Amino acid sequence: MNIQNLIRPTIKALKPYSSARDEFQGVTDNMVFLDANENPFENGVNRYPDPQQGKLKAILSEIKGISAKNILLGNGSDEVLDLIFRAFCEPNQDNIVILPPTYGMYEVLANLNAIGIKKVNLDADFQPKVEEILNTADANSKVLFICSPNNPSGNSFTTEAIETLVSSFKGIVVIDEAYIDFSNAESWISKLDQYPNLIVSQTLSKAYAMAGIRLGICYASTEIITVLNTIKPPYNINELTQKKAIELLNIKDLASNQIADILKERSALISELKSISYISKIYPTDANFVLVKVDDANKRYNQLIEKGIVIRNRTTQPGCENTLRLTVGTSEENKILINVLQGLETL
């Protein structure tokens, strides 16, 4: 597949903005910087941040086992997704394919960028209908969004289904792996060399406990990364975000220990949920949340709010009638949730 044929003509012709720190990439120690019109008085944030986030990418490269040249960082995953729209989708002409129920920002970003949307609902087991997806796509279908493990259902899609879609879809395939660290499934990062049209997005917001710093990650071929770098804002990842991410990623076993605790709590939570009479189904999950089917989602959601517990009501999503999405909390939080759910048995 020739990726160049998928890039918007205006993007291919675009000359990227070159910031002062892009132009100078030498040794920074003992240098006098008079190039960027910064305030010279040091306070830790008076200088512009590294526009290419070299130190942070080096750490992620080591953790994920992939070259830093295959990494692009965004102000949250939403910026990464928006850059993909801007690079590959022509407004008022092209379309994307999404698989509801799925992450709602795909549709929001499509609407913001004046891109059409083709929807192929997942089947009853929340698996993609591969043949229908490929038949629905047309010559203007530039991006297919696959969320696996899926939000809000929690399950991972089969390897066979994803392989067929990545190899057969004629455009870019984005696999959103926001929850991959809670799953036993292998990340599709390992297949980037095999599929030139593949983009894998991840985040530090879930397993790495950094939702507050807004850092999304894009893994793709150097060709795709080059295109996205051309259109990203020059200083999109601020200095404080870079420093905090480096600090926490350098704490040995921090993330792995927290993931282990969450998985332990997930199992305990599921076990307790089985005893709640008005929960008729607990869906399989590879994420840090559990989707459950109840008798009346609106009623139960409002009851939980009244008791001071905030969850997500997913009943309006395709295939999710009367479902609630419960994030796995701490042991104490999960016990409070179960006690409240049990207290609602007679209400």
Side-chain angles (χ1 to χ4, degrees):
M1 178 180 291
N2 189 341
I3 297 300
Q4 292 298 313
N5 293 335
L6 298 175
I7 304 170
R8 293 172 58 199
T10 53
I11 300 301
K12 282 198 278 190
L14 181 67
K15 183 178 180 179
Y17 173 77
S18 180
S19 70
R21 295 300 133 80
D22 277 320
E23 293 176 358
F24 175 81
Q25 297 180 357
V27 178
T28 59
D29 293 340
N30 300 318
M31 299 295 291
V32 177
F33 288 105
L34 303 176
D35 58 339
N37 301 332
E38 300 154 321
N39 185 314
F41 296 100
E42 289 292 340
N43 61 10
V45 292
N46 62 303
R47 300 291 180 185
Y48 285 108
D50 175 4
Q52 293 301 323
Q53 310 92 37
K55 293 180 181 179
L56 179 51
K57 285 181 181 176
I59 296 173
L60 290 169
S61 173
E62 183 177 353
I63 292 173
K64 298 295 182 176
I66 188 171
S67 171
K69 295 180 180 179
N70 297 106
I71 302 174
L72 177 131
L73 302 181
N75 183 12
S77 294
D78 294 338
E79 182 181 46
V80 169
L81 298 176
D82 189 48
L83 289 173
I84 294 169
F85 276 97
R86 292 168 183 257
F88 297 104
C89 298
E90 195 67 45
N92 300 307
Q93 175 179 311
D94 291 332
N95 65 75
I96 62 165
V97 181
I98 62 173
L99 315 177
T102 191
Y103 181 45
M105 280 303 294
Y106 308 145
E107 186 168 354
V108 171
L109 290 169
N111 288 328
L112 285 172
N113 286 283
I115 306 302
I117 305 168
K118 291 181 177 292
K119 300 180 182 180
V120 181
N121 291 351
L122 299 174
D123 67 19
D125 296 319
F126 293 124
Q127 289 292 329
K129 303 172 185 174
V130 175
E131 186 174 349
E132 185 176 343
I133 293 167
L134 296 175
N135 288 336
T136 298
D138 59 27
N140 290 323
S141 297
K142 294 299 177 63
V143 186
L144 166 62
F145 287 97
I146 297 173
C147 188
S148 181
N150 189 45
N151 177 15
S153 58
N155 64 300
S156 295
F157 297 161
T158 66
T159 300
E160 295 76 16
I162 295 179
E163 281 183 339
T164 301
L165 290 169
V166 177
S167 60
S168 301
F169 187 75
K170 303 304 182 183
I172 298 294
V173 177
V174 178
I175 302 181
D176 186 341
E177 292 186 340
Y179 301 96
I180 191 66
D181 297 288
F182 304 106
S183 170
N184 291 324
E186 182 182 8
S187 169
W188 282 85
I189 291 175
S190 63
K191 303 291 182 66
L192 289 177
D193 289 339
Q194 186 175 343
Y195 300 107
N197 62 325
L198 175 61
I199 296 175
V200 177
S201 67
Q202 294 186 0
T203 180
L204 295 187
S205 294
K206 311 299 181 183
Y208 289 88
M210 300 187 213
I213 70 172
R214 308 305 301 130
L215 188 65
I217 313 166
C218 170
Y219 301 96
S221 68
T222 55
E223 186 174 19
I224 290 177
I225 294 298
T226 298
V227 174
L228 299 180
N229 267 322
T230 298
I231 61 175
K232 82 168 185 68
Y235 300 113
N236 62 323
I237 309 299
N238 70 69
E239 183 70 13
L240 297 178
T241 289
Q242 292 187 48
K243 285 182 176 179
K244 193 63 179 181
I246 290 170
E247 172 194 336
L248 293 179
L249 288 173
N250 276 328
I251 300 177
K252 183 177 174 58
D253 299 328
L254 176 63
S256 60
N257 288 338
Q258 290 182 349
I259 292 168
D261 286 343
I262 290 171
L263 293 180
K264 179 182 177 181
E265 286 301 319
R266 187 179 74 185
S267 296
L269 178 61
I270 290 173
S271 178
E272 292 290 346
L273 290 172
K274 292 176 180 178
S275 68
I276 307 299
S277 62
Y278 53 85
I279 295 179
S280 58
K281 185 171 184 177
I282 302 171
Y283 293 86
T285 180
D286 283 330
N288 66 332
F289 59 82
V290 182
L291 187 73
V292 299
K293 191 176 186 67
V294 298
D295 54 350
D296 186 332
N298 293 330
K299 171 184 174 181
R300 300 305 180 183
Y301 174 82
N302 290 329
Q303 289 175 330
L304 287 169
I305 290 293
E306 291 173 359
K307 298 293 184 178
I309 297 178
V310 183
I311 49 99
R312 289 302 296 273
N313 183 354
R314 301 286 77 188
T315 193
T316 61
Q317 304 301 304
C320 296
E321 183 180 2
N322 281 323
T323 60
L324 303 175
R325 194 190 70 192
L326 315 173
T327 302
V328 178
T330 64
S331 176
E332 181 181 354
E333 289 171 333
N334 295 333
K335 288 177 182 177
I336 292 173
L337 172 64
I338 291 299
N339 287 336
V340 170
L341 290 173
Q342 290 173 340
L344 299 179
E345 294 272 10
T346 58
L347 298 179

